Amino acid sequence: MAGFLARRLLNYAVLVVVAASLAYLVAATALDPRSNYADRTPKPPPAVVDAQLTVLNLNDKTPLLQRYAVWAGGVLRGDFGKTVAGAPVNDDIKRRMGVTFRLVILGLVCGSLLGVLVGALAAVRQYGWFDRLSTGLSFLVLAVPVVVLANMLILAGAWANQHVFGRQVLLVSGEYSAGVEGLGSQVVDRLQHLVLPTISLSVGLIAVFSRYQRNMMLDVLGADFVRTARAKGLSRRRALTRHALRTAMIPVVTYFAFTFGALLTGATFTEKIFGWHGLGEQLINSIFSNDVNTVAAISLLAAVSVLCAALAADLLHAALDPRVRA
Amino acid sequence: MTLSEEELAEELADGTLTRPPSRARMVAGRFFRSTQGLIGFAVLALMFLLAFVGPLFSPWTYTDKDFTAFMQPPSARHWFGTLQTGSDVFAVTLRGMQKSLVVGLLAALVSTALAAVVGAFAGYFLGWTDRVLSWVTDLLLVLPAFLILAILSPLFGSGQWPLFVVMLALFLWMVTSKIVRGMAISVKEREFVQAARYMGVPPVRIIFRHVIPNLSSLLIVDATLNVSSAILTETSLSYFGFGIQPPDVSFGTLIADGSLTAVYAPWTFWFVAGLLVVTVLAVNLVGDALRDAFDPSSGKA
Amino acid sequence: MDEPVLEVTDLTVSFGDVRAVRGVSYAVRPGEVLGIVGESGSGKSVTSAAVMGLLPPGARVTGSVRLRGKELIGAPERALNSFRGKSLSMVFQDPLSALTPVYRVGDQIAEAVRVHQRVGKETALVKAIELLELVGIPRPAERALAFPHEFSGGMRQRVVIAMAIANDPDVIICDEPTTALDVTIQAQILEVLKRAQAKTGAAIIMITHDLGVVAGFADRVLVMYAGRPVEVGGVDDIYYRSRMPYTAGLLGSVPRVDRRGRQPLTPIEGNPPSPAALPPGCPFAPRCPMHVSACDEEEPPLFEVGPEHRAACIRWQEVHPRGPGRHAAPSDGPRLRARGERSVLEVHQLVKDYPLLKGAVFKRRIGTVHAVARVSFDLRQGETLGLVGESGSGKTTALTQILELAAPQEGRIVVLGHDTARLSRAERTEIRRDMQVVFQDPLASLDPRMTVHDILAEPLRTHGRPDSGRRVRELLALVGLDPAHAARYPQDFSGGQRQRIAIARALALEPRLLVLDEPVSALDVSIQAGVINLLDSLKARLGLSYLFVAHDLAVVRYIADRVAVMYLGRIAEIGHVDAVYDHPAHPYTQALLSAIPLPDPERERSRERILLEGDLPSPANPPTGCRFRTRCPKFRTELTGEERELCVGVEPEVRPVGEDQGAACHYADRRGVG
């Protein structure tokens, strides 16, 4: 067991190293931090630019491998280098991780719980009105890209503020408003900011989780052990909740872990459109600002979170399923 | 033990000519009997028709600018209204749709083919082949696809969209490939593959003759669903300016522009968004109906 | 006589337009065992699901099911829940999937107790442990904490039985309870069922396709065909005085382990009708040897043909089945004849281990399975060697080793004169041409996406023989199929026809050696006989040699010249079939033969079974010395302490015990088994 885990972790470490290095090399080759200085007025002299870039380890006149070595050395010491603006990447990333976490966790929990509920209900009454409705809606939702959904939500929020509430209830930009005093009002303010992004995250998740749970549940509903439970004299409802749902939940829970890992850097569109300064937003900003070090740091983080999620999914699976645990 | 010549001649004359319904026809039959499949297929066909035939009926092309009408709502002159630049929304939208459909279809085809080959080889041979292929698959899963595509986006400019298709496909195939690998392992254990092996059929031939064809239902369904994810990914990338590059337009670039003006000029956003949603929805419906048609015992009857 | 406890009257079940059950009536009295016999698709399982009220939604049920006088059809769900598991309980066919994988076995039984009895958790668990002990699970208190996947198939079936008798039911419905199990385990489970019945006094409805199981177990038998009973009566009436040609045909098509000589079996022609397209008149008419035009006019009712004996045949008076004495068919003396000169297959001291892995997510090696441990046998030209054994005996591993044509881990395999350890590429291809294989499940062994023509042409193309159209036709004709069907797909054929296609494919290259892996065990009895006869005649006509792997000893006795019995990776006994079957020398062979139920009620009643205790030990950790000693009745009861030491210390090798008979037992002793 321990040996197996060690081998697996080693494999993960290699994957992370290769992925992050690849991301760094691609970013360092394709992005051009020098161009950031081109539109400055007054235009700084080339020597100054070179010096500045060298300090940031971004100078394209330094050989790529040398830059890579400097970067990799830093990463090994836990230092991801500096942003194009000269601030440490570490601080920026740390702050943004918090933001992303606060944004994602509520959406993920809402989305997966509701999704599982909807899926299970739909499966139990297969072809009933609820099944048809939920299937239809999830198809519709899955066809709407997040960029469209988020923009639609913003439009809808603006309309609702104007016509339903008569004041700014649903706030569409940022995590909180500046200058709000008092704990109570701060919480309310944060919640107001959270509503729309959470909806935009969870709607898609509900659709995905409900489809998944429905399929798992349908597989289990016809299983022999559910029939055995019924033959014991359990009512349909008890047989379904105690025996079918419990078994059908296993793959869904592992899927949950996986989604969480993917969302840490995957909430890009929601963050960007709703103006949350999280990792996803930074991903896009850093490309626009030719910020090689940030790009590499986020790539590394994404790789780590995906692999951690995969590991967590397997551990959860083992915890829930005695067949796997054995 | 041999039949006489006459008997053989007789049998050649009749019998074989009346072929029973083939599997493809059976699947097609089941597919078109489901309302869902029919609707999806009809809508999708309509979308294609609209994208490729529609422009012929429009007096405007996507590069035309009407300098007498900036930001005008839909009218008889401009069916979907105009943009800030004076471009005709109808013409521009159809052009974007063409690009998105073509990019989506091609990327899905390429990625499914890649997934089939990689997954089948890894699953059939196992051992080192599997280890190497699976490692590459994992690596691509771990690399943030969006980021790489975004960084490389300058390469896609000026008519280089085929390169974009390839890159898009390169980040779409991994999950399918893992599924294919798992199924290939189980198909390999199936007795008809064993029978072929013990008959002396070479492995590569077994893969292409027995393994991949027996995963065709999965692959067809997956290719269909990949069309929608390719369209969605393309849209998202282009939304941020990382995909299709100007002067070309696609759903993504149009939605990006439209969302800025949506509040006071809804026609610049809703037509494109609506068509995109309808297209993807239709593709998904077709995919789902295909899945049922291939496997009547799955989920829905 | 007691009042019937369960009375089913004119039960019909239909799914949409398809009538799966068309008027079934029967009654069982307390303590009585009713056997319901039928082939797949006869509606026997649907009937029992209907009685339990556990049909899928969409099934329409009419008629009446009365349990102690209370009507169940149309009763409210709450009432049904209170009957299910209490007065009416059920044992299912597949014990592997019948238990919820995520709960402990003890808890699942306790749940069954608590549904119907107002007792606390503790009490229920104590009761569960008692039940586990009753059904013969060793160390019940400990095993109650285990999960289902930690149990073997036989043990799981005991758990299901424990659950079924938890509330002292009036009726236990057993739906093929032993079909998925090995024959020695089957004997144990039948014994447990008898014990459970004695304990609860319940009536048992035993649904099965196996005429042997019913013969020894049931008091009365109901034979079903095409969704309807076609003959009902006492067990002796059915077996010795059947009045329905179908019953007689079924009995005639069963190969019997206690019968030597090689009269061809009498298969029933054709296939069972699909419930969606029943022929007019008697549904059996198209397959019936006694068919007259009157049969097609209307479906015959059940005629009273004797006391408590009814049959649905208008010519019942003319049906003359074989009498009870027939099993003692005159033996023509041992068929010993000189073995051929040329050997086509030699296996010498073959060893195959593979790693024992545990865990699906965290795979790790926890041991080594010694699947095949120094096995030797040979097969001569024109001979059939039957390789028999229960699951875990290593017969499939041995077979795979031969088919791989690779160098074995240890030992030597010589196929058609070539040592597999020293094969060139060309030689391997050549052997692949001369050695062909037929698998168990014909549907799985034929690529569903290829037409029959392509399937049969594949070996020809692979080995560079063009012009396949004519050869394909020849092959189809050879195995008794219509050559015009070459354009169809495997799924358009019935099970028996598919197996014929698989045989035709194996014959395409005119091989010399045919490896048959359980070729008839997936087929219904009436179909199986036809395939066995075909194999037998092909062998004679084409001069083939067969390596015939099977778990069904009766089939092997029928087709094989010599037999090798395997136990836990070793050969227990090998020799000429008649010698081994009539006078088995190894205690395992003796137990195996005695565990096979015979379709002969009188003999079943007079037989004394040698019951083996427990499960097969893990091949990863076989007992020292003789691998069979942990379950050996001889070791346990007959041997003295000194004699046992030899069994514990020294692994016995196969030693001759007669002319062409050898056994791997230190105290081998040829004896007949009942």
Side-chain angles (χ1 to χ4, degrees):
Chain A
M1 179 85 184
F4 179 84
L5 214 60
R7 234 179 314 145
R8 180 126 171 205
L9 285 175
L10 184 72
N11 183 29
Y12 280 5
V14 173
L15 271 176
V16 168
V17 168
V18 174
S21 303
L22 262 178
Y24 179 85
L25 293 174
V26 170
T29 318
L31 297 180
D32 180 17
R34 185 176 296 276
S35 64
N36 292 1
Y37 297 87
D39 345 314
R40 291 215 186 144
T41 43
K43 211 170 170 192
V48 175
V49 174
D50 270 344
Q52 188 90 36
L53 286 173
T54 308
V55 168
L56 299 173
N57 190 30
L58 292 173
N59 195 342
D60 50 359
K61 286 177 185 155
T62 321
L64 179 62
L65 286 178
Q66 194 181 329
R67 273 181 283 156
Y68 171 73
V70 171
W71 173 80
V75 170
L76 286 180
R77 288 193 310 275
D79 177 10
F80 287 98
K82 298 231 162 43
T83 66
V84 276
V89 171
N90 288 34
D91 297 353
D92 185 49
I93 295 280
K94 230 176 272 169
R95 188 162 32 80
R96 286 177 180 274
M97 270 170 81
V99 174
T100 297
F101 186 77
R102 286 193 290 278
L103 172 68
V104 163
I105 192 74
L106 189 65
L108 182 63
V109 170
C110 286
S112 50
L113 281 184
L114 283 173
V116 166
L117 206 68
V118 169
L121 281 176
V124 171
R125 303 234 180 281
Q126 197 186 4
Y127 304 128
W129 66 267
F130 186 78
D131 184 29
R132 284 170 197 279
L133 184 72
S134 67
T135 303
L137 280 180
S138 39
F139 267 112
L140 188 65
V141 168
L142 289 176
V144 183
V146 182
V147 287
V148 171
L149 180 71
N151 278 306
M152 279 162 60
L153 280 173
I154 289 179
L155 293 180
W159 182 87
N161 284 339
Q162 203 177 346
H163 295 97
V164 181
F165 305 114
R167 60 196 181 84
Q168 295 294 52
V169 172
L170 301 170
L171 304 178
V172 294
S173 181
E175 193 183 357
Y176 51 87
S177 319
V180 178
E181 298 288 325
L183 186 69
S185 355
Q186 273 183 355
V187 168
V188 170
D189 175 64
R190 277 181 181 261
L191 282 179
Q192 283 177 317
H193 282 93
L194 206 50
V195 175
L196 290 178
T198 300
I199 294 179
S200 113
L201 274 179
S202 49
V203 162
L205 288 177
I206 293 176
V208 174
F209 271 93
S210 70
R211 296 301 297 164
Y212 196 48
Q213 175 72 45
R214 177 180 179 273
N215 289 343
M216 291 298 127
M217 192 80 177
L218 284 178
D219 281 352
V220 169
L221 281 184
D224 285 354
F225 62 79
V226 176
R227 196 179 51 173
T228 310
R230 298 270 286 140
K232 274 187 211 174
L234 289 185
S235 65
R236 180 175 150 86
R237 172 190 296 227
R238 256 182 81 77
L240 288 182
T241 48
R242 248 187 80 78
H243 291 265
L245 188 61
R246 168 71 171 78
T247 314
M249 282 286 288
I250 296 171
V252 180
V253 171
T254 58
Y255 187 66
F256 175 88
F258 219 82
T259 315
F260 186 64
L263 269 184
L264 279 182
T265 51
T268 313
F269 307 108
T270 310
E271 286 179 8
K272 180 76 185 159
I273 292 168
F274 286 102
W276 281 56
H277 304 306
L279 288 174
E281 187 208 41
Q282 186 66 347
L283 187 75
I284 292 182
N285 291 348
S286 60
I287 294 167
F288 279 123
S289 60
N290 294 306
D291 195 341
V292 176
N293 289 333
T294 304
V295 167
I298 292 181
S299 304
L300 192 141
L301 212 62
V304 170
S305 58
V306 167
L307 290 176
C308 283
L311 193 65
D314 280 352
L315 288 173
L316 267 174
H317 194 183
L320 288 173
D321 194 335
R323 286 167 295 185
V324 172
R325 203 185 313 150
Chain B
M1 77 179 257
T2 45
L3 288 169
S4 69
E5 294 291 310
E6 292 89 332
E7 274 175 306
L8 275 176
E10 240 175 61
E11 261 131 28
L12 280 171
D14 56 39
T16 44
L17 295 175
T18 51
R19 288 181 79 93
S22 76
R23 195 179 149 78
R25 214 173 302 159
M26 231 160 61
V27 169
R30 275 206 291 265
F31 176 81
F32 284 112
R33 269 198 302 278
S34 80
T35 17
Q36 186 190 336
L38 260 184
I39 293 176
F41 186 78
V43 170
L44 200 60
L46 206 71
M47 290 292 130
F48 265 92
L49 214 64
L50 188 64
F52 290 95
V53 184
L56 303 180
F57 295 96
S58 166
W60 306 91
T61 68
Y62 76 102
T63 45
D64 288 347
K65 306 245 187 305
D66 185 352
F67 294 108
T68 64
F70 299 115
M71 246 358 180
Q72 291 302 306
S75 62
R77 197 170 143 78
H78 295 285
W79 299 338
F80 283 6
T82 58
L83 296 176
Q84 232 152 1
T85 54
S87 298
D88 182 70
V89 176
F90 182 74
V92 175
T93 305
L94 294 197
R95 174 68 189 181
M97 200 158 137
Q98 279 181 17
K99 194 94 282 159
S100 287
L101 283 174
V102 169
V103 167
L105 271 181
L106 287 181
L109 274 181
V110 174
S111 82
T112 307
L114 198 61
V117 172
V118 172
F121 272 78
Y124 186 83
F125 287 109
L126 294 173
W128 276 105
T129 320
D130 177 40
R131 259 178 247 176
V132 171
L133 289 176
S134 293
W135 192 83
V136 172
T137 315
D138 281 340
L139 180 67
L140 280 172
L141 265 179
V142 162
L143 268 183
F146 184 83
L147 201 117
I148 304 290
L149 284 170
I151 294 175
L152 295 178
S153 62
L155 300 176
F156 310 145
S158 61
Q160 288 300 310
W161 63 268
L163 184 65
F164 178 57
V165 168
V166 172
M167 291 303 292
L168 204 55
L170 207 57
F171 284 101
L172 276 177
W173 61 276
M174 293 85 70
V175 177
T176 314
S177 163
K178 286 188 157 230
I179 301 172
V180 170
R181 174 183 171 271
M183 293 179 75
I185 292 177
S186 67
V187 169
K188 187 192 175 182
E189 296 304 313
R190 296 267 294 279
E191 287 171 345
F192 63 83
V193 173
Q194 297 295 332
R197 235 158 60 79
Y198 294 142
M199 214 179 276
V201 183
V204 175
R205 194 141 118 215
I206 293 183
I207 290 180
F208 284 104
R209 228 181 125 70
H210 292 288
V211 178
I212 292 183
N214 272 288
L215 302 177
S216 64
S217 56
L218 168 86
L219 292 172
I220 290 174
V221 170
D222 197 77
T224 318
L225 297 179
N226 267 349
V227 172
S228 63
S229 42
I231 292 180
L232 291 180
T233 314
E234 182 276 320
T235 306
S236 310
L237 280 166
S238 302
Y239 178 87
F240 290 114
F242 297 136
I244 297 295
Q245 301 293 323
D248 241 336
V249 291
S250 78
F251 273 149
T253 60
L254 292 172
I255 285 173
D257 295 343
S259 65
L260 299 176
T261 52
V263 181
Y264 52 92
W267 60 91
T268 56
F269 176 70
W270 291 107
F271 283 119
V272 190
L275 279 175
L276 169 64
V277 170
V278 169
T279 309
V280 176
L281 187 62
V283 172
N284 285 348
L285 286 179
V286 169
D288 199 61
L290 269 178
R291 188 199 321 258
D292 291 346
F294 272 113
D295 181 8
S297 62
S298 84
K300 309 159 116 207
Chain C
M1 275 261 184
D2 297 324
E3 280 296 296
V5 54
L6 180 73
E7 212 173 351
V8 175
T9 320
D10 207 20
L11 185 73
T12 71
V13 180
S14 39
F15 299 95
D17 296 331
V18 179
R19 297 173 66 204
V21 176
R22 308 176 299 124
V24 171
S25 305
Y26 60 78
V28 278
R29 286 179 276 270
E32 188 182 42
V33 179
L34 172 72
I36 299 185
V37 177
E39 295 180 280
S40 38
S42 62
K44 57 190 194 302
S45 290
V46 178
T47 309
S48 66
V51 171
M52 288 293 286
L54 289 178
L55 284 171
R60 260 199 341 276
V61 185
T62 65
S64 146
V65 176
R66 285 173 171 275
L67 181 70
R68 292 211 176 280
K70 290 198 198 77
E71 179 61 52
L72 296 189
I73 302 288
E77 198 56 36
R78 282 181 69 98
L80 288 180
N81 284 339
S82 67
F83 285 124
R84 264 185 229 129
K86 177 148 176 52
S87 350
L88 189 61
S89 62
M90 190 153 180
V91 176
F92 299 98
Q93 168 171 4
D94 186 5
L96 297 185
S97 55
L99 295 168
T100 310
V102 296
Y103 293 125
R104 293 177 196 284
V105 161
D107 293 340
Q108 297 197 44
I109 303 176
E111 187 183 33
V113 175
R114 274 164 60 84
V115 175
H116 298 289
Q117 299 175 26
R118 293 176 152 272
V119 292
K121 270 209 168 100
E122 292 294 310
T123 329
L125 204 56
V126 170
K127 169 94 182 168
I129 292 170
E130 280 168 22
L131 285 165
L132 283 175
E133 179 150 35
L134 180 75
V135 295
I137 290 191
R139 293 173 288 121
E142 191 183 314
R143 299 300 279 160
L145 298 179
F147 287 98
H149 69 270
E150 295 165 317
F151 280 64
S152 68
M155 287 295 162
R156 280 189 228 189
Q157 196 62 299
R158 288 170 194 258
V159 173
V160 175
I161 293 173
M163 230 183 264
I165 58 172
N167 297 296
D168 287 326
D170 298 326
V171 181
I172 306 173
I173 300 177
C174 303
D175 188 359
E176 305 259 14
T178 58
T179 305
L181 305 173
D182 278 320
V183 55
T184 58
I185 306 296
Q186 162 170 293
Q188 291 174 357
I189 293 297
L190 291 176
E191 213 48 46
V192 169
L193 276 173
K194 277 181 194 155
R195 207 180 325 151
Q197 190 195 23
K199 178 89 190 337
T200 57
I204 288 186
I205 296 174
M206 173 66 105
I207 298 160
T208 180
H209 69 279
D210 187 332
L211 290 158
V213 167
V214 176
F217 198 72
D219 304 311
R220 286 191 307 125
V221 177
L222 182 142
V223 182
M224 280 188 76
Y225 188 80
R228 232 173 65 107
V230 291
E231 188 159 5
V232 202
V235 66
D236 288 1
D237 286 338
I238 296 289
Y239 281 81
Y240 302 131
R241 291 174 287 279
S242 44
R243 291 296 177 206
M244 168 71 196
Y246 174 64
T247 317
L250 265 189
L251 288 164
S253 61
V254 189
R256 291 191 42 175
V257 75
D258 60 337
R259 201 177 291 159
R260 62 166 56 185
R262 198 168 289 187
Q263 320 93 317
L265 299 168
T266 41
I268 306 177
E269 296 295 318
N271 295 295
S274 138
L278 289 178
C282 173
F284 185 61
R287 305 174 70 189
C288 186
M290 300 180 61
H291 171 240
V292 292
S293 60
C295 295
D296 297 331
E297 279 161 20
E298 59 169 349
E299 192 160 0
L302 282 168
F303 295 102
E304 196 78 41
V305 298
E308 299 237 353
H309 184 190
R310 282 172 298 160
C313 179
I314 51 174
R315 299 180 66 191
W316 62 269
Q317 277 147 323
E318 299 159 60
V319 180
H320 291 297
R322 45 178 205 178
R326 173 92 181 269
H327 63 82
S331 89
D332 43 4
R335 287 179 300 168
L336 281 179
R337 58 186 162 99
R339 295 186 64 197
E341 288 290 303
R342 284 170 60 198
S343 130
V344 287
L345 175 68
E346 278 171 56
V347 173
H348 189 69
Q349 298 285 317
L350 177 69
V351 173
K352 174 65 185 173
D353 300 333
Y354 52 88
L356 179 61
L357 298 174
K358 211 174 177 194
V361 175
F362 304 108
K363 271 213 186 77
R364 57 203 189 271
R365 186 178 173 146
I366 58 162
T368 304
V369 177
H370 308 284
V372 175
R374 283 181 290 115
V375 160
S376 307
F377 55 81
D378 70 331
L379 175 62
R380 306 272 170 89
Q381 177 83 47
E383 203 174 58
T384 298
L385 175 68
L387 199 57
V388 298
E390 298 179 281
S391 17
S393 64
K395 58 185 193 302
T396 307
T397 310
L399 184 82
T400 317
Q401 290 298 300
I402 296 166
L403 287 170
E404 286 295 333
L405 292 184
Q409 182 185 327
E410 266 178 56
R412 201 156 46 90
I413 301 174
V414 181
V415 183
L416 301 164
H418 298 272
D419 188 331
T420 55
R422 290 190 297 271
L423 277 182
S424 69
R425 218 189 158 80
E427 283 171 327
R428 187 167 288 127
T429 312
E430 199 182 310
I431 297 180
R432 291 242 180 271
R433 198 180 59 220
D434 286 340
M435 175 175 75
Q436 295 288 325
V437 57
V438 176
F439 288 106
Q440 171 175 10
D441 181 355
L443 189 55
S445 69
L446 305 173
D447 190 334
R449 268 153 221 277
M450 289 165 69
T451 60
V452 168
H453 177 274
D454 288 340
I455 288 171
L456 296 184
E458 188 172 30
L460 299 169
R461 279 185 205 136
T462 304
H463 290 275
R465 306 242 184 115
D467 184 30
S468 48
R470 171 160 304 176
R471 179 72 182 142
V472 166
R473 266 158 245 287
E474 274 175 15
L475 286 166
L476 284 172
L478 183 66
V479 296
L481 290 175
D482 184 352
H485 290 168
R488 297 198 180 170
Y489 288 84
Q491 48 272 45
D492 303 330
F493 294 86
S494 70
Q497 289 172 323
R498 285 182 205 134
Q499 197 58 300
R500 285 167 190 263
I501 296 170
I503 294 171
R505 173 176 62 184
L507 294 176
L509 295 165
E510 299 174 341
R512 291 161 59 197
L513 168 59
L514 214 53
V515 176
L516 303 150
D517 185 6
E518 304 265 11
V520 293
S521 57
L523 307 176
D524 270 325
V525 187
S526 67
I527 308 295
Q528 173 180 306
V531 175
I532 296 176
N533 285 347
L534 172 70
L535 285 172
D536 217 20
S537 74
L538 285 174
K539 184 184 143 191
R541 284 161 70 191
L542 307 179
L544 299 164
S545 311
Y546 290 160
L547 177 62
F548 192 103
V549 176
H551 69 275
D552 186 337
L553 280 91
V555 170
V556 170
R557 166 150 222 186
Y558 193 80
I559 198 155
D561 303 301
R562 302 182 74 236
V563 63
V565 181
M566 288 187 71
Y567 182 82
L568 212 58
R570 303 269 300 164
I571 286 191
E573 187 159 2
I574 186 166
H576 191 270
V577 271
D578 288 340
V580 173
Y581 279 63
D582 289 341
H583 300 286
H586 195 287
Y588 176 63
T589 320
Q590 290 160 3
L592 200 58
L593 286 170
S594 103
I596 298 168
L598 302 172
D600 194 333
E602 262 174 34
R603 290 206 59 191
E604 273 294 308
R605 280 191 289 265
S606 62
R607 272 173 109 188
E608 194 138 350
R609 277 231 152 78
I610 307 171
L611 266 189
L612 289 185
E613 282 186 6
D615 283 338
L616 196 73
S618 157
N621 191 14
T624 60
C626 174
R627 294 188 168 207
F628 184 57
R629 70 174 163 86
T630 48
R631 300 172 75 198
C632 181
K634 189 168 202 161
F635 180 83
R636 216 173 38 235
T637 56
E638 292 175 30
L639 299 184
T640 64
E642 270 167 60
E643 286 174 319
R644 285 183 195 170
E645 268 168 35
L646 190 59
C647 299
V648 177
V650 181
E651 188 160 13
E653 295 297 327
V654 176
R655 277 188 316 232
V657 293
E659 190 188 348
D660 195 11
Q661 184 179 9
C665 176
H666 296 300
Y667 303 102
D669 173 21
R670 300 178 69 214
R671 60 172 81 163
V673 262

